[in-house]
Amino acid sequence: MKIMSRFVDVRQDEMASSILLFFYFFLITATAYIIKPVKISLFLEWLSFENLPLAYMTTALMIGFVVTLNSRLLRTMNRQLYISITLAFFILNLLFFWWLFKINWKWHSLVFWFWTDVFTITSVTQFWILVNDAYNPRQAKRLVGFLVSGGLLGGIAGAFLASLLVKVIKTEDLLLTCPVFLCMGFILLNFLRGAKTHKEKVELGAARGKKKEKVGYPKSFQMLAKNRHLVILSGIMASAIVVTTLIDFQFNNVIKQSFLDLDTRTAFLGSFFTILLIFSYFLHVLATSRILKNFGIRTALLITPMILLIGTLAVFFIPAAASIYWAVSLKGTDKSLAHSLSQSVRELLYVPVSPDIKYRAKVFIDMFVNKFAKGFAAILLLLFFNVLGFSVKQISFVIVLFILIWLGLNWMVTKEYVGLVKKNLKIKWQDADTFISDKIDVDMTKLVFDTLHNKQRSSVLYAMNVFDLIKSEKLSPELKKIISSKCDEIRACSMDSLLELDGEALLPEMDDAIEEEHIDTQIKEIMSLDVYQELMKEQIARIVEDQSKEAKVAKMEAAKVIGMMEPSSSFIPHLSRLLKEESPEVFRYAVESAGKLKKRVFVPIIIAQLKNPISSGVASQALIEFGTKILGTLKDYLADEDENIQIRKAIPNIMFQIGTQRAADLMAMELKRGRFYLESELVEALFKLRSKDPNIRFQNRYIEPELFFVIKKSYLILLEMNDLMSDEKKTNLVSDLENNLARSLKHMFELLSLIYPHEDILRAYQNISSGTKKSIDYSCELLDNLLKRELRDFIFPLIDDISFDDRVKRCKKMLKDIEKAETS
């Protein structure tokens, strides 16, 4: 296990199945690459390359029957039993074909060509179905390189064996070696069944107990057609096969002209495939995993068609004498990439697909679409080569066209792939603040309760609160009934108690039913009267000067009234004094009025109250009412090192509530300055602002430095945990560090959501925090396709599904790199 883990990222529970699948694929591809040079050499010998379009077409026409039979058997039989029977069937076929080739009938080579294609595509498809059965996306991504290398090594062994044996036996006698390899594969398949975990056996038993839905070929096609991802994937497969088939035609033409002897041609083909697969193996081992890890699927999908595009165009710039080198190079490049990078990436694209349709779709695409594309390529060859008289070199124009189509489809499928990964990740919980604000109008609720509370305390406050409710246009019939229910002792009169006018009412009494338009009009008319203004000026001045305890209610009324005046009113200076009252209730009414009037002179007084836990909430709400006009002032307080820390910590939430792009920019700039004691408040405010308005944008240069700092802090917490875990007396400290690490990871994802799609990051974080192993793997896959390489490398040691010891090792390794990133 330890030796193998140095070269392959394999876990203990994956060891047995991965080794068995490696050698199974080895034996399958060894057989295929013994058969392949035999197939090509015999066909060119008996029917020549001009009949290759006929071979392609025959395969395309006949493969539909094979697909139908394969789908039916896959549906009705246990998968591993079905694959075992298939292997036995192929063994008998090989012996039969060896006997047939003793009869000199040239059309045997066409039948054998068709059978070889059936064998190759069926056996390889069945292998990848076994892989999809065994692993989830993250496991498959880790192990796919190891498994594909088994196939490449098998191909090398088979092709090399064919090139050696053909020197001592005839070409057709090579077929006798193939049943030996398939028999060994049969044995491994039975061991693979025994290597299943208890959980897999339980799931398999449950699956057998279910009634299997009958899904034929037409329904399989319908299922695929409804899935955009699979449709595009089919297009990619078809385009790639058309390109490969046309390149294969050019290659066989050159080979036929260069090697006239049957066994010599077979020996060359065996050597060619050996060298090709050795190159493919090293390409795969040294490049495939690195490309997928460092650049992701999007880049990996573009590499093969771009290289083939360059190679195809090269034919127009080389002399005819060098055509053999061009043909071998282009064919070798095509096949080496197909066996390594392209195959690995293509198989990964299947993983997020729902299991309900994955297997049928995979069989349909790999078997029918593959051969349909080859048949379409045959039609193109018949049209351009046989009818229009294109030369072998001119066929390259057609190849270029399909490479361009291939590139376009590759670009499209990456978006669909990420979308499928997202569908496997569910939002686990809603943000509490967002949930409450969506369900409850908090300000409206507070105003209603305040109105009911003041109904018996002060008729003046009651009347003015009712007026506020009317202006809000949220006064439902039920609320009207509640707040206007008659009270014999209390009359909601104009300003009787405030002005002490001996019962003379300036506003009408509150009747059982509230007439909204009537009250609104009356209050506005009264407050605009000169006599009212004069009376109010004198009375408010007297109330403000009164320092007795009995004046508290009157001061509350005065503060409320001032907020209903015009901002230019001469009463404004009195509000400044009311804002400095010790009574929280007086301050609450005063600060609400200050928020309505929006006079900058009040701002410093209100900000000073942010340090008071009792008044901080209403002070914050009043500052929010000022809006963008005080953002500069808030930023100055936030950045002032000498200012009270409680005031500074309250400001980010106020700026979030103001909720503009400028507010976001100011907070982001302050975050970049490294205010570690404000980090939590700033990050939370920025996160809530992005949650509230996805159109808010943040510059990476402001967010990334803090992101690197948080990642580094997480590393250090993890390493400190590792140092303390060996000491049982420090269990409590370890628990505290675990909580600190959780908070640090939360901040890390909140920061990521500022510069990457917010909902995608939220899905990933929630599933990593509380999801299953499968959810964690899908989350990592989503992040793998979203994050740039540098960030991905730093973040994955903290979130990947690995043991604690491995996590510590990776964090230690990355610590120096992230310190460099912080300073760069």
Side-chain angles (χ1 to χ4, degrees):
M1 170 67 182
K2 291 183 179 179
I3 296 175
M4 185 174 175
S5 62
R6 292 179 184 177
F7 305 98
V8 184
D9 189 5
V10 60
R11 313 290 160 78
Q12 182 65 46
D13 59 336
E14 302 162 350
M15 181 64 69
S17 61
S18 60
I19 292 174
L20 289 171
L21 285 169
F22 174 91
F23 284 107
Y24 177 78
F25 201 26
F26 176 94
L27 295 169
I28 291 297
T29 53
T31 303
Y33 274 91
I34 292 172
I35 295 172
K36 194 164 188 176
V38 175
K39 174 189 81 170
I40 296 172
S41 192
L42 286 173
F43 188 92
L44 293 177
E45 180 71 18
W46 292 101
L47 292 174
S48 189
F49 80 93
E50 289 88 353
N51 288 309
L52 278 173
L54 178 62
Y56 301 148
M57 183 65 69
T58 302
T59 302
L61 292 174
M62 298 296 293
I63 202 68
F65 298 103
V66 178
V67 171
T68 302
L69 178 62
N70 183 71
S71 298
R72 184 171 299 171
L73 294 173
L74 191 63
R75 183 182 69 247
T76 57
M77 297 178 64
N78 172 275
R79 256 194 290 275
Q80 286 195 332
L81 176 61
Y82 163 63
I83 295 172
S84 298
I85 293 173
T86 304
L87 288 176
F89 175 73
F90 286 144
I91 290 169
L92 294 175
N93 285 174
L94 285 164
L95 297 173
F96 179 68
F97 276 113
W98 172 78
W99 176 76
L100 279 180
F101 277 118
K102 299 298 181 181
I103 304 172
N104 292 326
W105 183 51
K106 65 179 182 178
W107 294 105
H108 285 164
S109 59
L110 178 62
V111 177
F112 184 66
W113 182 288
F114 167 70
W115 179 90
T116 302
D117 285 349
V118 171
F119 165 76
T120 303
I121 198 168
T122 301
S123 56
V124 172
T125 299
Q126 289 174 348
F127 166 76
W128 286 112
I129 284 176
L130 290 173
V131 172
N132 275 279
D133 273 342
Y135 306 119
N136 62 42
R138 294 297 295 174
Q139 289 176 307
K141 196 167 186 177
R142 280 190 292 101
L143 297 172
V144 69
F146 173 65
L147 298 176
V148 170
S149 65
L152 290 173
L153 289 173
I156 292 169
F160 183 66
L161 184 62
S163 66
L164 291 178
L165 290 178
V166 77
K167 296 175 182 179
V168 294
I169 61 176
K170 294 182 179 180
T171 295
E172 55 269 23
D173 292 334
L174 291 174
L175 297 181
L176 293 176
T177 63
C178 297
V180 178
F181 289 99
L182 293 183
C183 285
M184 289 189 286
F186 186 90
I187 295 170
L188 287 181
L189 191 63
N190 284 277
F191 276 114
L192 183 63
R193 184 184 297 116
K196 284 184 177 292
T197 65
H198 174 71
K199 180 181 177 182
E200 289 172 323
K201 290 176 181 178
V202 170
E203 290 175 349
L204 183 61
R208 285 175 179 172
K210 295 180 181 178
K211 185 177 180 181
K212 296 179 180 177
E213 181 186 3
K214 185 176 181 180
V215 181
Y217 165 73
K219 194 165 184 178
S220 296
F221 174 76
Q222 292 172 5
M223 292 168 66
L224 184 144
K226 292 177 182 178
N227 189 305
R228 179 177 165 82
H229 176 75
L230 292 176
V231 169
I232 297 173
L233 192 53
S234 300
I236 291 172
M237 174 72 82
S239 301
I241 292 299
V242 168
V243 170
T244 296
T245 304
L246 298 179
I247 291 174
D248 183 68
F249 178 78
Q250 293 176 318
F251 172 77
N252 285 323
N253 171 268
V254 175
I255 295 302
K256 175 64 176 177
Q257 294 176 2
S258 302
F259 301 96
L260 301 178
D261 179 68
L262 171 63
D263 292 336
T264 304
R265 185 165 56 246
T266 304
F268 169 79
L269 288 171
S271 301
F272 169 75
F273 288 126
T274 301
I275 296 170
L276 182 152
L277 290 171
I278 291 173
F279 177 74
S280 299
Y281 177 75
F282 284 107
L283 177 67
H284 177 71
V285 170
L286 299 176
T288 298
S289 296
R290 287 181 171 84
I291 290 171
L292 287 170
K293 181 180 179 180
N294 297 329
F295 302 102
I297 286 181
R298 182 178 284 107
T299 301
L301 279 166
L302 299 178
I303 290 174
T304 300
M306 287 300 298
I307 292 176
L308 291 180
L309 179 63
I310 295 169
T312 300
L313 292 173
V315 71
F316 299 106
F317 303 98
I318 61 171
S323 60
I324 181 65
Y325 303 106
W326 166 80
V328 168
S329 299
L330 186 60
K331 174 74 172 178
T333 302
D334 177 33
K335 285 300 179 182
S336 61
L337 288 170
H339 290 312
S340 54
L341 183 63
S342 294
Q343 181 175 341
S344 298
V345 174
R346 188 169 60 246
E347 296 304 328
L348 287 175
L349 291 174
Y350 281 110
V351 176
V353 179
S354 169
D356 296 340
I357 61 174
K358 180 193 304 185
Y359 302 115
R360 296 184 183 94
K362 182 170 176 54
V363 170
F364 180 85
I365 292 173
D366 287 355
M367 300 187 78
F368 179 79
V369 173
N370 182 308
K371 295 310 170 184
F372 174 81
K374 186 159 284 192
F376 183 69
I379 294 173
L380 292 175
L381 287 171
L382 289 171
L383 174 63
F384 290 100
F385 184 75
N386 295 76
V387 178
L388 298 179
F390 274 38
S391 66
V392 172
K393 179 183 289 189
Q394 289 172 329
I395 294 295
S396 294
F397 288 116
V398 185
I399 296 175
V400 168
L401 173 63
F402 279 91
I403 290 176
L404 294 176
I405 295 172
W406 184 3
L407 284 167
L409 292 171
N410 280 347
W411 178 80
M412 293 170 63
V413 82
T414 54
K415 293 185 176 181
E416 294 298 322
Y417 175 78
V418 173
L420 280 176
V421 172
K422 291 180 193 176
K423 286 182 180 179
N424 284 279
L425 299 172
K426 306 296 182 185
I427 294 292
K428 300 289 184 180
W429 63 82
Q430 288 184 312
D431 178 69
D433 292 336
T434 304
F435 179 80
I436 291 173
S437 63
D438 288 344
K439 301 294 183 182
I440 302 172
D441 190 333
V442 178
D443 294 335
M444 177 68 174
T445 304
K446 288 167 61 178
L447 184 55
V448 169
F449 278 102
D450 200 24
T451 302
L452 296 173
H453 177 69
N454 288 320
K455 189 171 184 179
Q456 297 185 17
R457 186 180 194 183
S458 167
S459 59
V460 174
L461 291 175
Y462 173 67
M464 289 187 287
N465 283 337
V466 170
F467 180 55
D468 285 342
L469 284 169
I470 291 170
K471 288 195 298 181
S472 70
E473 298 181 354
K474 295 179 180 178
L475 203 57
S476 66
E478 292 78 12
L479 280 178
K480 289 181 187 179
K481 185 176 180 180
I482 292 171
I483 66 174
S484 65
S485 58
K486 194 164 185 176
C487 179
D488 294 335
E489 307 91 48
I490 301 297
R491 297 291 183 105
C493 54
S494 56
M495 294 288 169
D496 298 4
S497 62
L498 181 62
L499 301 178
E500 296 181 351
L501 295 177
D502 300 323
E504 209 177 311
L506 293 178
L507 286 183
E509 297 180 356
M510 292 295 294
D511 201 355
D512 292 84
I514 296 174
E515 298 293 337
E516 296 178 15
E517 295 182 3
H518 180 63
I519 291 178
D520 190 5
T521 303
Q522 291 287 323
I523 290 178
K524 286 182 179 179
E525 289 177 357
I526 291 168
M527 296 187 73
S528 65
L529 293 174
D530 291 339
V531 62
Y532 182 81
Q533 295 279 328
E534 289 298 323
L535 289 170
M536 289 292 294
K537 185 186 299 184
E538 181 182 337
Q539 185 67 11
I540 290 176
R542 184 181 62 78
I543 291 172
V544 171
E545 294 294 334
D546 190 348
Q547 297 300 315
S548 65
K549 293 183 179 180
E550 292 75 15
K552 185 174 76 169
V553 173
K555 289 181 179 180
M556 292 164 59
E557 295 170 344
K560 183 75 175 179
V561 167
I562 293 173
M564 300 174 73
M565 301 290 184
E566 293 295 325
S568 59
S569 172
S570 58
F571 305 129
I572 301 303
H574 296 301
L575 189 59
S576 296
R577 294 189 60 183
L578 291 171
L579 283 168
K580 298 176 183 178
E581 285 286 332
E582 293 183 0
S583 168
E585 291 178 294
V586 174
F587 174 77
R588 180 166 66 85
Y589 279 101
V591 81
E592 286 177 358
S593 294
K596 293 177 182 177
L597 296 173
K598 298 180 176 63
K599 286 286 186 179
R600 295 185 66 91
V601 68
F602 301 136
V603 173
I605 304 173
I606 301 172
I607 288 178
Q609 292 295 326
L610 292 174
K611 63 186 176 184
N612 186 342
I614 297 175
S615 57
S616 178
V618 289
S620 297
Q621 192 59 43
L623 291 170
I624 293 165
E625 294 293 331
F626 280 83
T628 57
K629 64 190 296 184
I630 64 165
L631 280 174
T633 303
L634 292 174
K635 190 260 182 187
D636 292 339
Y637 275 89
L638 185 63
D640 189 352
E641 298 280 358
D642 298 325
E643 189 54 72
N644 181 280
I645 189 64
Q646 296 304 321
I647 291 176
R648 297 175 70 196
K649 286 188 173 184
I651 288 175
N653 188 60
I654 297 169
M655 297 178 81
F656 148 65
Q657 295 286 356
I658 292 173
T660 62
Q661 182 65 57
R662 184 162 180 257
D665 292 340
L666 292 174
M667 285 192 286
M669 290 169 64
E670 193 62 26
L671 185 68
K672 187 185 178 185
R673 293 177 65 187
R675 310 296 190 186
F676 67 90
Y677 39 79
L678 296 174
E679 171 198 322
S680 179
E681 288 76 16
L682 284 168
V683 171
E684 184 176 356
L686 291 170
F687 173 75
K688 291 195 293 186
L689 183 54
R690 185 68 188 275
S691 301
K692 181 181 178 181
D693 184 2
N695 293 319
I696 295 289
R697 291 290 179 265
F698 298 90
Q699 297 183 43
N700 287 24
R701 62 192 178 99
Y702 291 146
I703 305 302
E704 285 189 351
E706 178 66 16
L707 189 53
F708 289 137
F709 171 76
V710 173
I711 295 171
K712 179 183 174 182
K713 184 170 75 172
S714 301
Y715 286 174
L716 295 174
I717 293 172
L718 193 71
L719 296 179
E720 188 177 354
M721 286 172 57
N722 184 58
D723 294 338
L724 295 175
M725 286 180 74
S726 58
D727 191 343
E728 295 182 1
K729 297 179 180 179
K730 297 181 178 180
T731 306
N732 292 335
L733 290 176
V734 173
S735 179
D736 290 340
L737 287 173
E738 287 177 344
N739 293 331
N740 290 340
L741 181 60
R743 283 192 293 270
S744 184
L745 290 176
K746 179 175 181 288
H747 284 164
M748 182 183 75
F749 277 97
E750 287 174 343
L751 288 166
L752 284 173
S753 73
L754 304 181
I755 53 179
Y756 290 98
H758 179 81
E759 187 174 334
D760 294 347
I761 298 297
L762 188 62
R763 286 176 189 272
Y765 169 67
Q766 291 187 359
N767 281 273
I768 288 170
S769 299
S770 62
T772 62
K773 184 177 184 298
K774 179 180 177 182
S775 297
I776 293 172
D777 286 336
Y778 273 111
S779 298
C780 291
E781 184 65 19
L782 177 60
L783 293 174
D784 201 8
N785 286 276
L786 288 179
L787 306 184
K788 67 179 186 180
R789 176 186 172 185
E790 184 181 32
L791 274 177
R792 189 174 66 232
D793 290 345
F794 289 142
I795 290 171
F796 271 34
L798 294 168
I799 63 174
D800 216 345
D801 182 30
I802 54 179
S803 68
F804 181 80
D805 291 340
D806 288 340
R807 197 182 303 282
V808 170
K809 289 178 184 177
R810 289 177 64 179
C811 288
K812 282 182 180 179
K813 184 179 178 181
M814 299 301 297
L815 191 57
K816 291 182 180 179
D817 293 333
I818 200 166
E819 287 173 348
K820 292 178 183 177
E822 279 187 298
T823 57
S824 62

